[in-house]
Amino acid sequence: EAAVTQSPRNKVAVTGGKVTLSCNQTNNHNNMYWYRQDTGHGLRLIHYSYGAGSTEKGDIPDGYKASRPSQENFSLILELATPSQTSVYFCASGDVSGQGVSNERLFFGHGTKLSVL
Amino acid sequence: AQKVTQTQTSISVVEKTTVTMDCVYETRDSSYFLFWYKQTASGEIVFLIRQDSYKKENATVGHYSLNFQKPKSSIGLIITATQIEDSAVYFCAMREYNYAQGLTFGLGTRVSVFP
């Protein structure tokens, strides 16, 4: 079974500080994603990546950067954290089953709860 | 643009009965993929089942099955013989065939299974 590990599990940050959320996957999936989950908004896509060295903007990229230095690792960076970025962040990797990216099932990490004070 | 709507916020059922939850979607694409994911109380999100738009047969996996009504842009999830462990939030999601980004999710339906 695919394994996606996020760190830290919980983070308290101060407004204006820099926050880095890390994600590691061990199943050699090309695609990785960062989502945030908020009550009333569900899961929303922030950034995604097709492989090492690539990052793409999702639906709500403002205030976030992403980095994919290797196949296994995908980071989400908040350069200047704000209270509105308080949320639960999920990393996921994609398992393509034959037809390309569209039908892939996602494997999610356990989430990082971020509080920005 | 893709849009996924789950109108049922919560459903309560008695153990060993069947629960059905609704999902409607919007897309301009003729080919797309529909998914259901489950989020447990611990926050873990797991894939349950997928329906490819070009397939007429409803997908079935274990005690999960889908009611795919393409003319109505509807993909319902049916859980038979429910167990206490089925208590969770269920998310419907979709992806258009040519859409490069990740999945678009609905807001979820919370299912509570009681003894």
Side-chain angles (χ1 to χ4, degrees), chain A residues 37 50 57 101-102 104 106, chain B residues 37 39 54 95 97 100-101:
Chain A
Q37 184 177 33
Y50 292 125
K57 294 181 179 180
V101 299
S102 296
E104 65 183 325
L106 298 186
Chain B
Y37 284 79
Q39 185 171 32
Y54 53 86
R95 187 179 212 164
Y97 188 84
Q101 297 190 139

Side-chain angles (χ1 to χ4, degrees), chain A residues 9 31 33 35 37 40-43 45 48 50 57-59 90 97 99 101-106 108-110, chain B residues 33 35 37 39 42-47 50 52 54 91 95-107:
Chain A
R9 293 294 298 272
N31 300 337
Y33 306 86
Y35 286 87
Q37 184 177 33
H41 292 281
L43 286 154
L45 181 65
Y48 60 102
Y50 292 125
K57 294 181 179 180
D59 297 323
F90 286 94
S97 55
Q99 288 181 271
V101 299
S102 296
N103 69 342
E104 65 183 325
R105 55 180 284 192
L106 298 186
F108 284 85
H110 282 82
Chain B
F33 302 90
F35 305 80
Y37 284 79
Q39 185 171 32
S42 66
E44 183 182 18
I45 301 173
V46 295
F47 165 80
R50 186 186 90 218
D52 301 345
Y54 53 86
F91 291 98
R95 187 179 212 164
E96 293 169 343
Y97 188 84
N98 293 314
Y99 193 60
Q101 297 190 139
L103 300 177
T104 296
F105 286 85
L107 296 184

Side-chain angles (χ1 to χ4, degrees), chain A:
Chain A
E1 184 75 2
V4 179
T5 304
Q6 294 182 231
S7 61
R9 293 294 298 272
N10 291 280
K11 173 76 177 177
V12 178
V14 296
T15 298
K18 182 177 180 179
V19 176
T20 300
L21 307 182
S22 299
C23 179
N24 175 274
Q25 55 103 355
T26 59
N27 275 64
N28 201 33
H29 291 164
N30 287 332
N31 300 337
M32 296 186 74
Y33 306 86
W34 277 106
Y35 286 87
R36 63 177 284 177
Q37 184 177 33
D38 304 284
T39 304
H41 292 281
L43 286 154
R44 294 181 289 173
L45 181 65
I46 306 170
H47 282 289
Y48 60 102
S49 168
Y50 292 125
S54 98
T55 61
E56 306 289 340
K57 294 181 179 180
D59 297 323
I60 53 165
D62 294 345
Y64 302 93
K65 292 183 179 179
S67 174
R68 182 88 182 270
S70 65
Q71 181 80 340
E72 298 79 20
N73 296 296
F74 190 37
S75 298
L76 186 68
I77 303 152
L78 291 66
E79 294 278 4
L80 295 169
T82 68
S84 65
Q85 294 175 312
T86 293
S87 185
V88 180
Y89 292 85
F90 286 94
C91 175
S93 69
D95 172 23
V96 177
S97 55
Q99 288 181 271
V101 299
S102 296
N103 69 342
E104 65 183 325
R105 55 180 284 192
L106 298 186
F107 293 86
F108 284 85
H110 282 82
T112 294
K113 185 175 182 180
L114 173 65
S115 298
V116 183
L117 306 178

Side-chain angles (χ1 to χ4, degrees), chain B residues 25-61:
Chain B
Y25 55 90
E26 296 177 21
T27 177
R28 283 179 277 187
D29 221 355
S30 58
S31 294
Y32 47 88
F33 302 90
L34 302 161
F35 305 80
W36 282 89
Y37 284 79
K38 170 185 177 180
Q39 185 171 32
T40 63
S42 66
E44 183 182 18
I45 301 173
V46 295
F47 165 80
L48 292 179
I49 191 169
R50 186 186 90 218
Q51 179 77 39
D52 301 345
S53 65
Y54 53 86
K55 292 185 177 179
K56 294 185 178 180
E57 304 78 24
N58 290 319
T60 298
V61 176

